[in-house]
Amino acid sequence: MRSPIPEGVKWAGPAVALLFALSVYPLAYSVKVSLTAPGGGFTLRNYTRLLSDEFFHAAAAQTLFYTSAALIVEFLLGLGLALLADSLLRGRGLFRAGLLAPMLLPPVVAAVIWRLMYNPQFGVLNGTLRVLGIDTSKITWTSGEGSAMLSVLLVDIWEWTPFIFLLLSAGLQAIPAEPYEAARVDGASAWQVLRDVTLPLLRPTILLALVLRAMDLMRIFDQIFILTQGGPGFATETVSLYIYRTAFRFFNFGYAAAMSFVGLAVTTILTRSLIRLINPRRTR
Amino acid sequence: MPIEVAPHLLQSSAVMSFNWPSWVSAMDDPAKSKIAGKIEFTAMPSARRPGVAGLGAWLFTIPRASPNVELAREFILWATDAKQMRAAALLGYPPTRGSVFLDEDLLGRYGAFPAQLASLETARSRPRTAKWNELENVFGVYLSQANAGRLGAAQAMEKANREIEAVRERAE
């Protein structure tokens, strides 16, 4: 006798149930939490508070600055290194392996290493500068209001430029030789080849690399948490850190959930804008 | 980072700091400190009367639901007994008893003991609130901005006060 339950439901059911339990239900629950007042009942206060919360505004501005700065520098460096690796006749494998090493470290480990290096008193950076005769008494790296953001940015650039390099390097290798041969026959300069052949053919890979990094950067947490915990003061606080602090130090889960949903919406809008900017023909 | 404060003092690369009592004992140990015998200790300053403020304290507590309340109480009495406190003090841990702070031998080793005792005798607990983490965060952020020169001292404290009021209002 045939079972009344279709075969497809039997096979897909457990996976769908697991997905529902681990993803859909928590998401729906967090929407409910963000719309629930401390004493119970419906409220929009967690969302309206976002408009007047100076800490959230500062964290959002710093997240945008961090994302933009890291994305631009990592892309330019990654592209330059990928072009350099592609042009090498010998030692390309060694060059690639050496460049990829930082990316292979867990972000927490990389951050701990840099935290030790940044230590103004015992770190290797100030130690080296002192050996060179430079006065390091005012070089405080992650402890200075002005230098902390640049210090955490440097760690991100060091660790994640190899990711862009890896993707663009793979993209460069996938470009066929014929367009280059045609450009040479037409007498194109190196700059013209880069502008009119390499970059247009590399566009899908560039798009992928930028979108993946942008999404990753907008939720940056681990490196900054280890390096500065958002300090000194609020100098390196990002939205993810502020959400963490609100949820797990201030125990205000409703407001943390509201910030998470707004962060998700902003990330989606920015990512789509980025796709539209780079690839205007494929906006759907 | 708070954990870097004590090493800076020990290496003589900082002038002064607030310090946890458990970090203070190393200051007088020539094997660990470049400032042994060259540093003074005092209770936290206060605008109203000397030594009112306190950095914090660690506690022994017995959970209300503990099935072994008597055993836990016995342990606390044993662990805070003068004999145990003296042994702990010799390892660098701060005592909890006046008699141990006044021990002649320990006084010779730890120059901070009189200041630590004075601090304990005059310290006052801050009002208890479940919102302490949030209040501390607000105060710390604005204090840091004043320290860095991004805000004037008065402006930073006004902003902190306004934000602390907002935290209190939200909690009500």
Side-chain angles (χ1 to χ4, degrees):
Chain A
M1 192 180 141
R2 284 174 66 87
S3 164
I5 303 168
E7 279 297 305
V9 174
K10 279 189 200 166
W11 285 101
V16 171
L18 198 66
L19 188 70
F20 185 86
L22 297 179
S23 186
V24 178
Y25 174 73
L27 194 69
Y29 184 76
S30 58
V31 171
K32 185 186 163 211
V33 167
S34 75
L35 295 169
T36 304
F42 175 81
T43 183
L44 283 173
R45 210 170 91 174
N46 288 324
Y47 289 92
T48 54
R49 185 182 155 192
L50 288 168
L51 300 173
S52 60
D53 185 353
E54 283 184 25
F55 288 155
F56 178 71
H57 298 166
Q62 280 165 188
T63 305
L64 283 179
F65 171 75
Y66 184 90
T67 301
S68 316
L71 202 59
I72 290 168
V73 176
E74 285 170 21
F75 171 68
L76 292 176
L77 277 176
L79 179 64
L81 289 167
L83 291 170
L84 179 64
D86 202 51
S87 68
L88 288 177
L89 296 176
R90 282 183 182 180
R92 198 186 288 179
L94 195 67
F95 185 73
R96 275 200 190 121
L99 272 178
L100 293 180
M103 198 182 78
L104 302 179
L105 287 175
V108 171
V109 175
V112 170
I113 292 170
W114 275 90
R115 191 174 138 184
L116 293 172
M117 285 171 36
Y118 276 142
N119 187 300
Q121 179 75 14
F122 315 106
V124 69
L125 292 177
N126 274 9
T128 308
L129 292 175
R130 276 195 292 271
V131 169
L132 295 172
I134 297 168
D135 176 20
T136 60
S137 58
K138 289 185 178 165
I139 305 176
T140 51
W141 303 106
T142 53
S143 309
E145 278 260 349
S147 58
M149 183 55 94
L150 293 177
S151 300
V152 293
L153 263 172
L154 182 62
V155 177
D156 201 282
I157 291 163
W158 173 81
E159 181 157 30
W160 293 110
T161 296
F163 177 74
I164 304 259
F165 160 76
L166 182 68
L167 287 184
L168 298 187
S169 215
L172 282 172
Q173 288 201 315
I175 298 175
E178 288 81 1
Y180 290 108
E181 286 166 8
R184 266 199 299 275
V185 169
D186 288 344
S189 66
W191 166 244
Q192 284 171 321
V193 170
L194 175 69
R195 191 190 60 195
D196 300 326
V197 178
T198 308
L199 290 180
L201 291 173
L202 203 56
R203 180 180 278 180
T205 318
I206 291 174
L207 181 65
L208 176 72
L210 289 183
V211 168
L212 288 177
R213 274 312 291 145
M215 289 195 298
D216 220 20
L217 282 162
M218 277 191 268
R219 62 179 177 80
I220 184 74
F221 178 85
D222 36 17
Q223 286 167 354
I224 297 183
F225 186 76
I226 298 288
L227 283 164
T228 62
Q229 294 191 1
F234 212 71
T236 55
E237 187 91 340
T238 59
V239 171
S240 295
L241 274 163
Y242 189 48
I243 291 172
Y244 159 80
R245 209 182 295 282
T246 303
F248 300 110
R249 284 205 62 209
F250 310 156
F251 299 106
N252 189 342
F253 293 103
Y255 188 47
M259 282 193 282
S260 302
F261 285 118
V262 170
L264 178 67
V266 171
T267 305
T268 308
I269 291 166
L270 289 180
T271 309
R272 282 196 66 83
S273 307
L274 191 63
I275 293 171
R276 213 168 277 190
L277 189 72
I278 297 172
N279 215 3
R281 279 169 294 177
R282 303 180 73 182
T283 53
R284 280 185 302 149
Chain B
M1 288 283 171
I3 203 156
E4 289 162 10
V5 171
H8 275 294
L9 273 179
L10 289 168
Q11 293 299 311
S12 190
S13 56
V15 175
M16 65 171 105
S17 81
F18 292 129
N19 255 285
W20 288 98
S22 59
W23 294 348
V24 167
S25 59
M27 306 288 167
D28 288 322
D29 182 351
K32 298 175 185 169
S33 168
K34 287 184 181 174
I35 51 162
K38 299 176 191 167
I39 188 167
E40 293 288 333
F41 305 92
T42 186
M44 297 259 269
S46 163
R48 293 185 184 167
R49 60 189 173 90
V52 163
L55 186 57
W58 294 102
L59 309 167
F60 278 119
T61 58
I62 305 171
R64 191 189 294 273
S66 169
N68 300 307
V69 172
E70 262 317 301
L71 284 172
R73 187 173 163 277
E74 264 182 53
F75 171 77
I76 292 173
L77 290 175
W78 173 84
T80 55
D81 176 70
K83 188 180 164 193
Q84 305 307 328
M85 281 287 107
R86 193 176 185 285
L90 287 169
L91 295 171
Y93 297 104
T96 56
R97 286 179 175 269
S99 63
V100 183
F101 274 113
L102 297 172
D103 183 299
E104 288 293 328
D105 178 34
L106 293 176
L107 274 171
R109 284 170 189 255
Y110 303 122
F113 266 22
Q116 281 180 257
L117 180 58
S119 178
L120 281 174
E121 284 173 342
T122 55
R124 184 184 60 180
S125 298
R126 60 171 167 74
R128 302 286 102 182
T129 166
K131 289 284 167 190
W132 175 248
N133 281 338
E134 203 169 351
L135 298 178
E136 184 190 35
N137 182 63
V138 168
F139 187 62
V141 166
Y142 287 114
L143 197 63
S144 178
Q145 290 186 354
N147 193 36
R150 285 173 64 177
L151 292 174
Q155 191 189 6
M157 289 305 100
E158 270 168 30
K159 282 192 153 205
N161 198 37
R162 203 181 320 143
E163 195 60 39
I164 284 169
E165 279 304 315
V167 172
R168 286 180 55 186
E169 277 170 24
R170 279 197 298 272
E172 283 168 3

